[in-house]
Short mmCIF file of all heavy atoms in Angstrom, two decimals:
data_model
loop_
_atom_site.label_atom_id
_atom_site.label_comp_id
_atom_site.label_asym_id
_atom_site.label_seq_id
_atom_site.Cartn_x
_atom_site.Cartn_y
_atom_site.Cartn_z
N LEU L 100 177.68 217.41 73.76
CA LEU L 100 177.27 218.80 73.82
C LEU L 100 177.16 219.18 75.28
O LEU L 100 176.40 218.55 76.04
CB LEU L 100 175.93 218.99 73.11
CG LEU L 100 175.96 218.70 71.60
CD1 LEU L 100 174.63 218.16 71.13
CD2 LEU L 100 176.33 219.96 70.84
N MET L 110 173.28 214.12 71.74
CA MET L 110 172.72 214.42 70.42
C MET L 110 171.88 215.69 70.48
O MET L 110 171.22 215.96 71.48
CB MET L 110 171.87 213.24 69.95
CG MET L 110 171.25 213.37 68.60
SD MET L 110 170.47 211.81 68.11
CE MET L 110 169.05 211.77 69.20
N LEU L 111 171.91 216.47 69.38
CA LEU L 111 171.09 217.67 69.24
C LEU L 111 170.07 217.42 68.14
O LEU L 111 170.41 216.94 67.06
CB LEU L 111 171.96 218.88 68.89
CG LEU L 111 171.22 220.20 68.60
CD1 LEU L 111 170.53 220.71 69.86
CD2 LEU L 111 172.19 221.24 68.05
N VAL L 112 168.80 217.74 68.43
CA VAL L 112 167.72 217.56 67.46
C VAL L 112 167.19 218.94 67.06
O VAL L 112 166.93 219.79 67.92
CB VAL L 112 166.57 216.71 68.05
CG1 VAL L 112 165.47 216.53 67.02
CG2 VAL L 112 167.11 215.36 68.50
N LEU L 113 167.03 219.13 65.75
CA LEU L 113 166.57 220.42 65.22
C LEU L 113 165.07 220.41 64.98
O LEU L 113 164.46 219.35 64.79
CB LEU L 113 167.29 220.72 63.90
CG LEU L 113 168.83 220.70 63.93
CD1 LEU L 113 169.38 221.07 62.56
CD2 LEU L 113 169.36 221.66 65.00
N ILE L 127 175.39 225.76 64.62
CA ILE L 127 175.17 224.32 64.52
C ILE L 127 176.28 223.68 63.70
O ILE L 127 176.81 222.61 64.04
CB ILE L 127 173.78 224.04 63.92
CG1 ILE L 127 172.69 224.41 64.92
CG2 ILE L 127 173.65 222.57 63.51
CD1 ILE L 127 171.30 224.46 64.32
N LEU L 130 179.36 223.34 65.83
CA LEU L 130 179.25 222.25 66.81
C LEU L 130 179.46 220.89 66.14
O LEU L 130 180.15 220.02 66.70
CB LEU L 130 177.88 222.30 67.49
CG LEU L 130 177.61 223.53 68.38
CD1 LEU L 130 176.16 223.53 68.86
CD2 LEU L 130 178.57 223.55 69.58
N ILE L 131 178.85 220.69 64.99
CA ILE L 131 179.04 219.42 64.28
C ILE L 131 180.50 219.24 63.90
O ILE L 131 181.09 218.16 64.09
CB ILE L 131 178.14 219.35 63.02
CG1 ILE L 131 176.67 219.48 63.40
CG2 ILE L 131 178.36 218.04 62.27
CD1 ILE L 131 175.74 219.60 62.20
N ALA L 135 179.99 217.09 67.33
CA ALA L 135 178.62 216.83 67.77
C ALA L 135 177.86 216.01 66.73
O ALA L 135 178.16 216.05 65.53
CB ALA L 135 177.88 218.14 68.02
N THR L 136 176.84 215.28 67.21
CA THR L 136 175.89 214.58 66.35
C THR L 136 174.59 215.36 66.36
O THR L 136 174.03 215.62 67.43
CB THR L 136 175.65 213.15 66.85
OG1 THR L 136 176.88 212.42 66.80
CG2 THR L 136 174.60 212.44 65.99
N VAL L 137 174.12 215.74 65.17
CA VAL L 137 172.92 216.56 65.03
C VAL L 137 171.96 215.86 64.09
O VAL L 137 172.37 215.31 63.06
CB VAL L 137 173.25 217.98 64.51
CG1 VAL L 137 171.98 218.78 64.28
CG2 VAL L 137 174.17 218.70 65.48
N VAL L 138 170.66 215.86 64.45
CA VAL L 138 169.62 215.24 63.63
C VAL L 138 168.61 216.32 63.24
O VAL L 138 168.09 217.02 64.12
CB VAL L 138 168.91 214.10 64.39
CG1 VAL L 138 167.83 213.48 63.50
CG2 VAL L 138 169.92 213.05 64.83
N GLY L 139 168.34 216.45 61.96
CA GLY L 139 167.35 217.43 61.53
C GLY L 139 167.35 217.62 60.02
O GLY L 139 168.29 217.22 59.32
N TRP L 166 175.14 219.85 55.13
CA TRP L 166 174.41 218.64 54.78
C TRP L 166 175.02 217.94 53.56
O TRP L 166 174.99 216.72 53.46
CB TRP L 166 172.95 218.97 54.49
CG TRP L 166 172.06 218.90 55.70
CD1 TRP L 166 171.22 217.88 56.03
CD2 TRP L 166 171.91 219.87 56.73
NE1 TRP L 166 170.55 218.17 57.20
CE2 TRP L 166 170.97 219.39 57.67
CE3 TRP L 166 172.50 221.12 56.97
CZ2 TRP L 166 170.59 220.11 58.79
CZ3 TRP L 166 172.13 221.84 58.09
CH2 TRP L 166 171.19 221.33 58.99
N ARG L 183 178.69 214.50 62.94
CA ARG L 183 177.82 213.87 61.96
C ARG L 183 176.48 214.59 61.92
O ARG L 183 175.93 214.97 62.95
CB ARG L 183 177.62 212.40 62.32
CG ARG L 183 176.78 211.61 61.31
CD ARG L 183 176.91 210.11 61.54
NE ARG L 183 176.33 209.67 62.79
CZ ARG L 183 175.47 208.66 62.91
NH1 ARG L 183 175.11 207.97 61.84
NH2 ARG L 183 175.01 208.31 64.08
N ILE L 184 175.94 214.74 60.69
CA ILE L 184 174.61 215.27 60.49
C ILE L 184 173.72 214.15 59.98
O ILE L 184 174.12 213.37 59.10
CB ILE L 184 174.61 216.48 59.52
CG1 ILE L 184 173.19 217.04 59.36
CG2 ILE L 184 175.19 216.09 58.16
CD1 ILE L 184 172.67 217.71 60.59
N CYS L 185 172.52 214.01 60.54
CA CYS L 185 171.57 212.96 60.15
C CYS L 185 170.25 213.62 59.77
O CYS L 185 169.83 214.60 60.38
CB CYS L 185 171.35 211.96 61.28
SG CYS L 185 172.86 211.17 61.89
N TRP L 186 169.58 213.02 58.80
CA TRP L 186 168.30 213.57 58.32
C TRP L 186 167.37 212.40 58.01
O TRP L 186 167.76 211.47 57.32
CB TRP L 186 168.54 214.43 57.09
CG TRP L 186 167.31 215.11 56.54
CD1 TRP L 186 166.09 215.16 57.09
CD2 TRP L 186 167.23 215.85 55.32
NE1 TRP L 186 165.22 215.86 56.31
CE2 TRP L 186 165.90 216.31 55.20
CE3 TRP L 186 168.14 216.17 54.32
CZ2 TRP L 186 165.45 217.06 54.12
CZ3 TRP L 186 167.70 216.92 53.25
CH2 TRP L 186 166.38 217.36 53.14
#
Side-chain angles (χ1 to χ4, degrees):
L100 295 149
M110 181 172 71
L111 175 66
V112 180
L113 305 182
I127 290 167
L130 294 174
I131 300 173
T136 298
V137 176
V138 180
W166 270 259
R183 183 166 67 130
I184 182 69
C185 303
W186 183 8

